[in-house]
Amino acid sequence: MASRKKCLILGLTVFLWVELYAQNEEQNVTCRLLRKFNLTGYVEAANHSMVIGGLFPIHSRTIPTNDSDEEPVSAMCEGFNFRGFRWMKTMIHTIKEINGRKDILPNHTLGYQIFDTCFSVSKAMETALVFLTGQEENKPNFRNSTGKYLVGIIGSGGSSLSVAASRILGLYYMPQVGYTSSCSILSDKFQFPSFYRSIPSDKIQSEAMVNLIKHFGWVWVGAIAADDDYGKYGVKSFREKMESANLCVAFSETIPKVYSNEKMQKAVKAVKSSTAKVIVLFTTDIDLSPFVLEVVHHNITDRTWIASEAWITSALVAKPEYFPYFGGTIGFAIPRSVIPGLKEFLYDIHPSKDPKDVLTIEFWQTAFNCTWPNSTVPYNVDHRVNMTGKEDRLYAMSNQLCTGEEKLEDLKNTYLDTSQLRITNNVKQAVYLMAYALDRLSNCDLLEEYSNSTACSHIPDFEPREMLPYFKKLKITTHDGTEIELDNNGDIENGYYDILNWHLGNAGEVAFVKVGEYKFTSSKYELVLPKNSSLFWNTESSMLPDSVCTKLCAPGTRKGVRQGQPICCFDCIPCADGYVSEKQGQRECDPCGEDDWSNAEKSKCVPKLVEFLAYEEALGFTLVILSIFGAIVVFAVTIVYVIHRHTPLVKANDRELSFLIQMSLGITVLSSMLFIGKPSNWTCMARQVTLALGFCLCLSSTLGKTISLFFAYRISKSKTRLISMHPVFRKLIVLFCVVGEIGVCAAYLVLEPPRMFKNIESQNVKIIFECNEGSIEFLCAIFGFDVFLALLCFLTTFVARKLPDNYYEGKCITFGMLVFFIVWISFVPAYLSTKGKFKVAVEIFAILASSYGLLGCIFLPKCFIILLRPKRNTDETVGGRVPTVDRSIQLTSASVSSELNSTTVSTVLDE
């Protein structure tokens, strides 16, 4: 940290010197740097009109220096990075390729000046200042130590390095194209106005990770990031995407840039103690290496790692000895490509070609573990601190001298591995983006929005800011046919990631197996993971890992939020009645339809039990038997009356009315069967109307009889001669009553008829099929009329109950009416207190009881006499002529005579 602080102070000193010179230019003040930055790299500028700068992490870190009060010095680098060295060689190869083409910059050639950033912010700052000022010049004229015009920078190798360099380069609007800097903050044109890149932004990668997590059903995921801009902004975007998808981050830890045992152990502890089995690693391979050693040291297995593009194909991590811990890693990688001629160019390297090429000599020494003769280049010594907290030199100085006869074909390292050219291909694309922007500038190919406000520039006489409009909506086609287009923020507008899975190859090496793709455009995305893709999971069962805070709630339960905890940690609460959850892990229970209800497990909606008084059940069958039996009894009584129709007892008191009463009672007992079975619209309309008309006919006919009895009683009381009621009048009473009832019933059926409806409110688990009676007013009217007739019958017979008679018909009708009233008065509370099919059964019972009561009270005594006491069925017994003047002889209610003379009076009971 002290070294970085000193380097930053030095960098700021240089920057202030530049500004000071600009202010004192008129006084001709000359300022020079007191000492130079310690930089290494490559330069080729002679015979070229322009130079492209390059920043690459050829080393992986700077050598720590002791904190002291001495003047700050530029740090040395260590840890040769074969991968970064290949990237740098790719830039040189691409520039040579462009210079050999005639369709791009035909009148100009490009040179290069490349520096090593050592994968450190301090070196990135130093190189950015050197590009602007040079180490010998005294003003920023964009003609650095090469003496050629600097048109732009390729680099700086990592997001943190690009952020640091771009903050300086952006002040002068120096174009910068990143090849592996995916940090989302670099899209901010206010902070980084001149930064562009050939790699997608981490916003896209974060969304891709979340979609991958959703695809596999993971909800509880850990996150570890490098302690730099790449890691912090990457995890920040990832957490935002997770929250918007209702997924949870179990923990979020950082890997320190400068080794700290305390911070490293904190990250390792989070991994070991968390129930999250899936962990996202947003870091570069260089920063990840110490953490990998810790994972191996603590023997942490049974974890699935989601890799960012910065380390998914890194040979530094993908080693066979690490496979038991990191096997099955799945992540996103930049699309792989084959670069023609690159492999041969990479092999064309040897220290003997240029004794001053210190990077090539260091490459040779590190690759073959030898020391180049007569070289001052130090051997690669690693001063990192291991997990024990003690310094450990991982590489020792070799006493073996290099012969120069070593063969590159025998090497197996990242530099010569061209099977996974991903970031390497991005380097090539970044150089081409710079070249095509220059080509557009040379042709003045401006967008329409800039054509009227910006004058055409000429190579090489232009300022860096004049080149920026040519990057807007820049669209190129690469050597493999891929189209690349930049948006207004300098980001890739469309493309795709390869989804890779780590397998163990046949030779024991780690194989990067492509299992899918993540395609994206400016408006949509598509995750492509074939079902038959062979995924390897580093679990005990080799099956898809399960990463949850709480196991998914079983069907029949829902998630209940735990206060103060993430939404992925919950309790499983049973669904309420009428609600179900058919799938695992449902947040809410779904209501069942009105015809359905939840089963006992609350996992499925099942049809509600249908309830109505069915013929098949015992109660319904019993009532049907009673109805049929009642009809048979009525029919039997009618047969008896028909057979004995000429007997005095049958002829007494209007034989036709007796037959009407019998017929009506047959109708009422049979109408009860309309109440049994599944209701329908027609049965709902028929049953009440039929019942009402049946009772109306019965009671009106009975009323005809009772009026006759009433008049007979009045005659016997007054002992005066009275004209008898003609039988026609009795029948007219029946006719008027029935016609009136039919009229009301017809209006009822036309205006507001009853309808069948499903009652789902009375009982939750049942659907009660019943009749909606429509208008209660009409229903009260039709049955109220029947009650009125019954009341008239009762009153008239009650008055005439003391009429002497050998057959007490008046008393029988009185008892019949009493039974009728008792039954229906008892029916009302019983009907209102029951539900469902029992409600219908109560009504049927009331119908049958009242019908049986009338039948028994009116006709049973007569049938008893007709069948069992025929001697009493005579004119003398039933009735006869009685002299009017003889007041000692009382009139009988059954006296019947068809002959009227002056000495007798025909009773009102004549036929």
Side-chain angles (χ1 to χ4, degrees):
M1 291 298 290
S3 174
R4 182 187 301 178
K5 184 187 299 183
K6 293 176 181 178
C7 291
L8 287 175
I9 293 173
L10 181 61
L12 291 174
T13 302
V14 175
F15 180 74
L16 291 174
W17 165 77
V18 172
E19 294 297 327
L20 182 63
Y21 174 82
Q23 295 176 8
N24 296 283
E25 188 175 7
E26 294 181 359
Q27 283 82 11
N28 248 343
V29 178
T30 302
C31 297
R32 289 188 178 275
L33 290 172
L34 295 178
R35 63 182 65 185
K36 295 181 180 180
F37 292 126
N38 182 22
L39 301 176
T40 57
Y42 290 90
V43 61
E44 182 182 314
N47 303 320
H48 299 293
S49 53
M50 296 171 291
V51 170
I52 297 178
L55 298 175
F56 294 92
I58 301 174
H59 288 86
S60 58
R61 62 200 156 271
T62 57
I63 298 176
T65 58
N66 294 327
D67 190 10
S68 66
D69 296 332
E70 298 178 2
E71 292 183 5
V73 295
S74 182
M76 299 288 290
C77 300
E78 67 175 356
F80 195 84
N81 183 10
F82 290 105
R83 197 181 186 196
F85 193 62
R86 184 182 66 202
W87 296 345
M88 180 270 299
K89 285 288 187 179
T90 302
M91 176 178 171
I92 297 174
H93 174 263
T94 305
I95 289 178
K96 291 182 180 294
E97 180 180 284
I98 292 172
N99 288 337
R101 295 178 61 168
K102 300 300 181 183
D103 57 332
I104 305 176
L105 299 170
N107 301 321
H108 305 278
T109 58
L110 300 174
Y112 55 84
Q113 186 177 26
I114 300 173
F115 289 118
D116 178 15
T117 63
C118 301
F119 201 70
S120 65
V121 172
S122 60
K123 283 294 179 184
M125 297 281 286
E126 291 177 14
T127 53
L129 289 169
V130 169
F131 274 130
L132 291 176
T133 67
Q135 298 219 63
E136 299 293 343
E137 302 294 328
N138 56 13
K139 62 178 180 179
N141 59 1
F142 310 113
R143 285 170 175 79
N144 49 29
S145 57
T146 64
K148 301 297 181 180
Y149 192 83
L150 181 67
V151 297
I153 309 295
I154 305 297
S156 300
S159 293
S160 295
L161 309 184
S162 292
V163 167
S166 187
R167 291 194 185 278
I168 295 177
L169 297 173
L171 293 174
Y172 295 92
Y173 296 94
M174 176 64 69
Q176 182 183 359
V177 182
Y179 51 87
T180 186
S181 304
S182 57
C183 183
S184 58
I185 194 177
L186 288 167
S187 300
D188 185 355
K189 292 298 106 178
F190 181 78
Q191 298 187 61
F192 310 99
S194 60
F195 184 83
Y196 305 91
R197 50 186 162 193
S198 60
I199 187 172
S201 168
D202 280 337
K203 282 188 176 180
I204 298 174
Q205 184 173 202
S206 297
E207 189 167 359
M209 286 180 173
V210 173
N211 280 284
L212 183 75
I213 290 169
K214 288 170 61 178
H215 175 81
F216 290 117
W218 300 323
V219 296
W220 187 241
V221 179
I224 294 179
D227 190 14
D228 56 14
D229 291 324
Y230 173 71
K232 290 178 180 178
Y233 284 100
V235 166
K236 178 177 180 291
S237 178
F238 172 73
R239 290 176 68 96
E240 291 172 353
K241 300 291 184 183
M242 288 283 284
E243 289 177 5
S244 63
N246 291 324
L247 302 176
C248 302
V249 177
F251 61 87
S252 181
E253 298 293 340
T254 57
I255 299 174
K257 295 286 286 186
V258 178
Y259 189 90
S260 167
N261 188 60
E262 180 183 354
K263 293 181 180 179
M264 191 67 75
Q265 295 306 319
K266 183 180 178 183
V268 172
K269 183 180 179 181
V271 174
K272 291 181 67 175
S273 61
S274 176
T275 57
K277 300 299 182 182
V278 178
I279 302 165
V280 171
L281 281 173
F282 239 114
T283 177
T284 61
D285 55 346
I286 295 173
D287 290 331
L288 182 60
S289 297
F291 180 76
V292 171
L293 296 176
E294 294 286 355
V295 170
V296 175
H297 176 72
H298 287 84
N299 194 29
I300 301 175
T301 58
D302 196 29
R303 298 294 188 278
T304 297
W305 307 91
I306 298 180
S308 64
E309 98 293 337
W311 69 274
I312 182 66
T313 58
S314 172
L316 196 61
V317 181
K319 295 179 179 180
E321 57 266 31
Y322 298 154
F323 191 82
Y325 312 94
F326 286 85
T329 293
I330 189 169
F332 298 89
I334 304 303
R336 186 169 66 92
S337 180
V338 176
I339 301 177
L342 178 62
K343 186 173 184 178
E344 293 76 13
F345 184 78
L346 295 177
Y347 274 90
D348 186 21
I349 182 174
H350 201 278
S352 62
K353 290 185 177 182
D354 185 0
K356 296 182 180 180
D357 186 354
V358 296
L359 292 178
T360 299
I361 293 174
E362 187 175 359
F363 162 77
W364 202 269
Q365 291 182 160
T366 306
F368 294 106
N369 193 22
C370 62
T371 303
W372 189 257
N374 302 320
S375 173
T376 58
V377 178
Y379 188 76
N380 183 36
V381 178
D382 195 337
H383 289 272
R384 284 182 297 172
V385 177
N386 66 6
M387 70 280 295
T388 64
K390 299 179 180 179
E391 186 178 288
D392 182 19
R393 293 198 172 207
L394 301 180
Y395 302 95
M397 180 69 71
S398 174
N399 294 322
Q400 180 183 355
L401 293 177
C402 301
T403 63
E405 300 297 327
E406 292 85 4
K407 294 182 180 180
L408 292 173
E409 292 80 1
D410 297 335
L411 289 177
K412 290 184 179 180
N413 61 21
T414 310
Y415 173 73
L416 297 173
D417 183 8
T418 57
S419 63
Q420 298 290 331
L421 298 182
R422 299 178 186 275
I423 300 298
T424 305
N425 188 50
N426 274 13
V427 174
K428 182 181 180 70
Q429 292 173 356
V431 177
Y432 264 98
L433 286 171
M434 186 74 73
Y436 272 105
L438 278 170
D439 189 61
R440 289 181 67 184
L441 182 142
S442 66
N443 297 322
C444 200
D445 182 20
L446 276 170
L447 292 176
E448 184 178 349
E449 58 184 294
Y450 295 100
S451 59
N452 296 328
S453 59
T454 304
C456 293
S457 305
H458 300 283
I459 295 177
D461 299 325
F462 66 92
E463 293 185 6
R465 70 171 65 240
E466 296 176 13
M467 189 176 169
L468 299 184
Y470 295 95
F471 281 98
K472 303 292 184 180
K473 295 295 181 181
L474 177 60
K475 188 175 183 179
I476 68 172
T477 302
T478 64
H479 65 281
D480 57 2
T482 303
E483 288 190 353
I484 298 176
E485 183 175 359
L486 300 182
D487 61 16
N488 289 327
N489 293 325
D491 292 331
I492 297 294
E493 196 166 62
N494 60 290
Y496 68 95
Y497 286 103
D498 285 339
I499 301 176
L500 303 183
N501 185 223
W502 285 14
H503 290 222
L504 194 62
N506 297 328
E509 79 286 354
V510 177
F512 308 121
V513 179
K514 181 178 178 179
V515 294
E517 290 181 348
Y518 182 84
K519 301 177 182 179
F520 62 90
T521 64
S522 58
S523 58
K524 65 177 182 178
Y525 67 86
E526 181 183 7
L527 182 67
V528 181
L529 272 172
K531 292 183 179 180
N532 57 354
S533 59
S534 54
L535 285 162
F536 172 76
W537 301 111
N538 191 26
T539 58
E540 294 181 0
S541 61
S542 297
M543 302 297 290
L544 177 71
D546 190 19
S547 187
V548 296
C549 176
T550 307
K551 288 189 177 181
L552 289 178
C553 293
T557 60
R558 64 173 179 85
K559 295 180 180 179
V561 178
R562 292 179 182 173
Q563 294 296 329
Q565 295 192 25
I567 59 173
C568 300
C569 301
F570 47 82
D571 296 315
C572 295
I573 302 174
C575 294
D577 291 338
Y579 290 79
V580 298
S581 59
E582 297 183 356
K583 299 178 181 178
Q584 286 186 330
Q586 285 192 207
R587 295 187 180 277
E588 298 293 339
C589 297
D590 301 319
C592 293
E594 64 176 18
D595 292 343
D596 298 324
W597 193 250
S598 54
N599 59 1
E601 295 78 19
K602 306 294 192 304
S603 61
K604 194 175 184 180
C605 288
V606 295
K608 289 183 178 179
L609 297 175
V610 177
E611 181 177 286
F612 57 88
L613 188 59
Y615 292 100
E616 298 80 9
E617 58 182 301
L619 180 59
F621 182 75
T622 302
L623 294 174
V624 168
I625 295 299
L626 291 176
S627 299
I628 294 174
F629 178 75
I632 292 173
V633 171
V634 172
F635 182 72
V637 170
T638 304
I639 294 298
V640 170
Y641 264 61
V642 170
I643 294 174
H644 300 87
R645 61 186 180 278
H646 298 298
T647 61
L649 190 59
V650 174
K651 291 169 63 178
N653 206 3
D654 206 319
R655 179 174 55 192
E656 286 78 7
L657 289 181
S658 297
F659 284 120
L660 286 177
I661 293 173
Q662 294 165 13
M663 182 180 70
S664 64
L665 290 175
I667 293 173
T668 55
V669 295
L670 291 176
S671 69
S672 63
M673 296 180 65
L674 294 173
F675 290 80
I676 305 174
K678 185 177 180 180
S680 61
N681 287 337
W682 76 267
T683 56
C684 287
M685 291 187 291
R687 65 187 190 180
Q688 299 290 6
V689 171
T690 303
L691 179 63
L693 290 175
F695 275 128
C696 180
L697 180 60
C698 176
L699 295 172
S700 60
S701 300
T702 306
L703 182 62
K705 283 178 171 286
T706 58
I707 289 178
S708 298
L709 293 175
F710 177 77
F711 281 117
Y713 175 73
R714 298 304 298 173
I715 292 172
S716 66
K717 294 291 287 181
S718 62
K719 296 184 174 64
T720 60
R721 185 177 181 84
L722 184 66
I723 299 174
S724 65
M725 177 183 286
H726 198 277
V728 173
F729 294 112
R730 295 197 292 269
K731 294 174 178 62
L732 285 176
I733 291 173
V734 176
L735 179 62
F736 289 148
C737 292
V738 173
V739 170
E741 185 80 339
I742 291 174
V744 177
C745 290
Y748 175 40
L749 295 179
V750 171
L751 298 178
E752 292 188 59
R755 289 286 184 268
M756 187 278 292
F757 95 107
K758 297 182 291 185
N759 185 349
I760 61 175
E761 297 179 358
S762 298
Q763 298 187 43
N764 291 329
V765 297
K766 292 181 180 180
I767 299 177
I768 302 175
F769 283 92
E770 58 187 19
C771 292
N772 182 353
E773 305 300 348
S775 173
I776 300 299
E777 292 78 6
F778 273 113
L779 195 66
C780 292
I782 59 177
F783 283 104
F785 185 68
D786 290 341
V787 172
F788 176 70
L789 292 177
L791 186 60
L792 288 178
C793 292
F794 176 74
L795 291 175
T796 53
T797 54
F798 182 78
V799 171
R801 70 188 184 282
K802 296 181 179 180
L803 184 67
D805 196 349
N806 290 328
Y807 170 63
Y808 303 102
E809 187 170 24
K811 294 180 180 180
C812 292
I813 293 176
T814 301
F815 281 115
M817 290 300 104
L818 284 174
V819 171
F820 183 86
F821 279 115
I822 291 171
V823 168
W824 287 102
I825 290 172
S826 303
F827 159 77
V828 172
Y831 183 81
L832 295 177
S833 62
T834 54
K835 295 180 180 179
K837 61 183 179 181
F838 298 104
K839 195 172 187 177
V840 178
V842 168
E843 188 170 1
I844 295 174
F845 178 79
I847 295 169
L848 294 176
S850 57
S851 299
Y852 274 110
L854 291 174
L855 181 65
C857 290
I858 297 176
F859 294 105
L860 186 60
K862 291 184 179 181
C863 290
F864 177 80
I865 293 173
I866 292 171
L867 296 176
L868 301 179
R869 298 289 187 270
K871 294 181 179 181
R872 295 177 58 183
N873 190 7
T874 60
D875 291 335
E876 292 77 8
T877 304
V878 173
R881 298 186 181 96
V882 180
T884 307
V885 294
D886 189 356
R887 297 181 180 271
S888 63
I889 302 176
Q890 296 180 344
L891 290 173
T892 64
S893 62
S895 298
V896 180
S897 175
S898 57
E899 301 177 5
L900 295 174
N901 51 47
S902 58
T903 60
T904 64
V905 67
S906 297
T907 71
V908 293
L909 303 178
D910 287 341
E911 293 179 324

